[in-house]
Amino acid sequence: MTSFSLHLILCNLFIAFSILAVTAIKHLFKNHLSARAIYRLWSVLFVLMALPFIPVRLPEMLTTAAPAPNTHMLPETAVQTSKSLQAIMDTSRDWMNDFTISVNKKTPAIFGTLCLVIWLTGILFMLIFQFKARRKLFLMKQSAVPVQHPALCRLFEQCCEELGIKNKPSLYSTMLLKSPVMTGVLCPTVYLPSHLMEGIADTSQDLYPTLRHMLLHELVHYKQKDALTNSLTNLFHLLYWPNPVVWFAMDEIRSDREIACDTAVLKVLGEENALAYGNTLIHLAEKMSLDIFSSVSGMSGTMRQLTRRIRCIAAYQKPTKAAGIKSSCIVLSVAALLLSMSPVLTTYALYPVFSVSGGNMYGNTLHNTDKTAIFDENSKVSEIDLSSYFGDADGSFVFYDLSQDTWQIYNKEKALIRVSPDSTYKIYGALFALDAGWITPENSEMAWDGETYAFDAWNQNQDLNSAMKNSVNWYFQALEERMGKASVQQYIDNIGYGNRDLSGSFPSCWLESSLKISPAEQVYLLKEIFADPASADSSAGQIFSASHINAVKDSLYLYNIPGGALYGKTGTGNINDHNIGGWFVGFTESNGHRFFFATHIEDSDNASGSRAAEITQAILSDLGIIH
């Protein structure tokens, strides 16, 4: 709920920026944009305002390939975990119980709830006002009667022909109006005030030009689909009611709508009739009621809007073809620029702001350059369906076969989303400390500081093996404090760890804070460093000595498998006492073959490292990697 509220606030800021940008462009290019072009430019705003409420997924960026020969493939039906594997898992609870502490986010849940309640309350009041306007419209429709005056019907037909309208709207009159309006998306109807038809005998009377101007104006509204625009305006005014810039935009849209309509009418009437059309508008202004229905299009408006319209009518010049092309090019350029930033507004933009956990709202997706470093056109990548293993949890699984140089991925979109590494970062924290000389493979012991922690295993002296097994936070935080933020940042940059962001609370940036990494990157780095410690040929592997890599590898040892062993590290993301994320990353060695993996899961309160480890072991068992 907090995530939704923050997402809505950020979207409101972006929408406000877009509105101000459109307004600035209007004034900057006022001599180059036609009235119709300015009006259509606002339609881009409608698209941007809709995106925060539509689950738009970004285009898939990962190219998949057919499975390579000899690739480990899962059976079509998931195999039940074997009894021998279950026995191993039952006796491995020590390392699978990933000790973690809760991270309290600065934004409390009550903030999100309060914002949501205020927003919904405002929507309720706005709905009441719109309901009142709808009721007035309903009463007006009930009082209206079809226009049957022969002269007026002929004039109406003539106006439709002038505008090229084949599917004509209905024409009614009512005593509840002071100025003409057009309304209805599905059943469009033009309504005329009854007093305008008093004294009509034939089309030669003085009232004829006035009626023609009015009918042309309302029919242009019909032709431009302004009834739909009105409905969208009301909808987004409802959803974005707290945003004062949106109120300003809605007023500008209505004003630009009428100016665009006036310009279209003058295009039919000709420049020589601009004065007469302006006089019609001034004449009606004396009788117009400002209590206009919110869902209709008409000739009325505020005095400020009428003043703008009169000035535009007085300055009207017939547009040239070159001016129209120039105007269209400007509008298309501005629309393309604004729409290019639209992913900022989608429900997946601050992924996963709409997830049940709400804990990874700062996660981000790999950029193209990052993905290129992991996958290229020669990469052998295939997708596998592992949904039955994950159950009700949302997550991903990445598997790399070193000997075959093949990748298998479940839920590739999630596999490219960066999230907090939590305790899996300790793999690299240990490597950094070993390389910097703060600990050595032979002497990695650190004295307990005497502070009482929530877990008994933490309240004693630690070395690298015990600290890794029991996931002792204070041990690895102390190492990073000794190294210093600048030194850690240099290591992070050198190996290309995730988003490389240590701006969070140091030395806890890896605990649901600023540092993020994706499951795909986890596997890539593990492969680069642990593929062959004796002869590492990767840029990441060459940074660390074989002895340091082996020391960390020994601390990651879990249990033996036929022909080798399983190595790995769990991680649990806990925010406000809710386990919202679980990791299990590592690799296996079996008969000379190495396989690297990463599993990440998300849930509202049941996503832990131990659960991720159980899922991973079941998958590896069915792949034939462990038995």
Side-chain angles (χ1 to χ4, degrees), residues 383-398:
E383 296 179 61
I384 51 178
D385 182 10
L386 303 177
S387 55
S388 59
Y389 294 87
F390 285 79
D392 57 351
D394 197 7
S396 63
F397 175 78
V398 180

Side-chain angles (χ1 to χ4, degrees), residues 49-291:
M49 296 175 86
L51 288 177
F53 302 95
I54 302 175
V56 179
R57 292 184 180 271
L58 299 178
E60 296 182 353
M61 303 297 294
L62 182 61
T63 303
T64 59
N70 301 322
T71 299
H72 289 75
M73 297 298 295
L74 284 167
E76 294 183 2
T77 303
V79 179
Q80 297 295 323
T81 304
S82 65
K83 293 182 179 180
S84 57
L85 175 61
Q86 188 63 50
I88 293 175
M89 293 168 61
D90 291 340
T91 58
S92 304
R93 294 297 170 183
D94 288 342
W95 65 264
M96 286 178 61
N97 287 329
D98 183 49
F99 299 116
T100 186
I101 58 175
S102 178
V103 176
N104 294 318
K105 289 293 184 181
K106 294 181 180 180
T107 305
I110 192 173
F111 170 78
T113 304
L114 181 62
C115 288
L116 186 62
V117 169
I118 294 174
W119 180 60
L120 291 176
T121 303
I123 288 178
L124 179 61
F125 279 102
M126 293 287 288
L127 282 172
I128 292 173
F129 286 116
Q130 289 196 11
F131 174 76
K132 289 182 177 180
R134 286 284 178 181
R135 186 174 180 275
K136 290 181 180 180
L137 180 60
F138 174 76
L139 293 175
M140 182 202 74
K141 290 181 177 180
Q142 291 293 103
S143 69
V145 295
V147 173
Q148 297 178 345
H149 194 286
L152 191 54
C153 289
R154 285 196 301 271
L155 178 60
F156 184 70
E157 293 282 343
Q158 179 186 334
C159 291
C160 289
E161 290 177 5
E162 288 184 274
L163 293 172
I165 296 174
K166 295 182 179 180
N167 298 321
K168 304 176 184 65
S170 303
L171 183 63
Y172 279 71
S173 66
T174 175
M175 298 181 63
L176 298 182
L177 282 178
K178 294 183 179 181
S179 58
V181 297
M182 193 283 297
T183 185
V185 177
L186 299 178
C187 299
T189 305
V190 174
Y191 293 92
L192 296 176
S194 298
H195 69 82
L196 290 178
M197 293 181 291
E198 295 175 0
I200 296 179
D202 54 56
T203 56
S204 64
Q205 290 186 318
D206 293 339
L207 193 57
Y208 169 76
T210 300
L211 285 171
R212 181 169 178 247
H213 296 163
M214 292 179 182
L215 289 174
L216 284 173
H217 187 94
E218 301 310 321
L219 287 172
V220 168
H221 278 311
Y222 165 72
K223 189 175 182 179
Q224 292 183 162
K225 309 296 183 185
D226 286 338
L228 177 60
T229 303
N230 292 339
S231 298
L232 292 175
T233 301
N234 291 331
L235 173 63
F236 292 123
H237 205 171
L238 187 76
L239 296 175
Y240 289 89
W241 69 265
N243 194 331
V245 184
V246 171
W247 286 68
F248 163 78
M250 297 301 114
D251 185 59
E252 287 293 295
I253 290 172
R254 294 185 184 97
S255 180
D256 290 337
R257 177 193 67 199
E258 295 304 319
I259 292 174
C261 188
D262 291 336
T263 303
V265 172
L266 290 174
K267 189 175 180 180
V268 175
L269 295 175
E271 290 183 49
E272 64 276 8
N273 291 312
L275 180 60
Y277 181 75
N279 287 332
T280 297
L281 192 61
I282 293 172
H283 176 71
L284 280 177
E286 300 174 357
K287 302 178 180 180
M288 288 178 186
S289 172
L290 294 181
D291 186 19

Side-chain angles (χ1 to χ4, degrees), residues 211-384:
L211 285 171
R212 181 169 178 247
H213 296 163
M214 292 179 182
L215 289 174
L216 284 173
H217 187 94
E218 301 310 321
L219 287 172
V220 168
H221 278 311
Y222 165 72
K223 189 175 182 179
Q224 292 183 162
K225 309 296 183 185
D226 286 338
L228 177 60
T229 303
N230 292 339
S231 298
L232 292 175
T233 301
N234 291 331
L235 173 63
F236 292 123
H237 205 171
L238 187 76
L239 296 175
Y240 289 89
W241 69 265
N243 194 331
V245 184
V246 171
W247 286 68
F248 163 78
M250 297 301 114
D251 185 59
E252 287 293 295
I253 290 172
R254 294 185 184 97
S255 180
D256 290 337
R257 177 193 67 199
E258 295 304 319
I259 292 174
C261 188
D262 291 336
T263 303
V265 172
L266 290 174
K267 189 175 180 180
V268 175
L269 295 175
E271 290 183 49
E272 64 276 8
N273 291 312
L275 180 60
Y277 181 75
N279 287 332
T280 297
L281 192 61
I282 293 172
H283 176 71
L284 280 177
E286 300 174 357
K287 302 178 180 180
M288 288 178 186
S289 172
L290 294 181
D291 186 19
I292 191 69
F293 307 110
S294 62
S295 55
V296 303
S297 299
M299 295 189 74
S300 63
T302 65
M303 291 308 299
R304 186 182 71 85
Q305 291 172 342
L306 289 171
T307 302
R308 280 185 61 190
R309 291 171 63 186
I310 293 296
R311 288 175 179 171
C312 290
I313 291 171
Y316 173 78
Q317 291 182 344
K318 186 177 180 180
T320 63
K321 187 175 182 180
I325 295 175
K326 184 198 299 185
S327 183
S328 297
C329 290
I330 294 173
V331 170
L332 290 174
S333 299
V334 174
L337 177 63
L338 292 176
L339 291 176
S340 67
M341 297 184 287
S342 61
V344 177
L345 297 170
T346 66
T347 56
Y348 290 88
L350 298 179
Y351 180 85
V353 292
F354 286 104
S355 69
V356 288
S357 69
N360 296 323
M361 51 182 280
Y362 301 103
N364 54 347
T365 309
L366 289 176
H367 297 292
N368 291 335
T369 53
D370 299 319
K371 287 195 288 289
T372 302
I374 300 175
F375 309 110
D376 55 34
E377 63 275 7
N378 298 319
S379 296
K380 304 170 186 176
V381 184
S382 61
E383 296 179 61
I384 51 178

Side-chain angles (χ1 to χ4, degrees), residues 434 439-445 463-465 547-548 551:
L434 284 164
I439 56 175
T440 65
E442 298 77 22
N443 183 14
S444 61
E445 187 171 354
D463 60 18
L464 179 57
N465 289 335
S547 62
H548 294 160

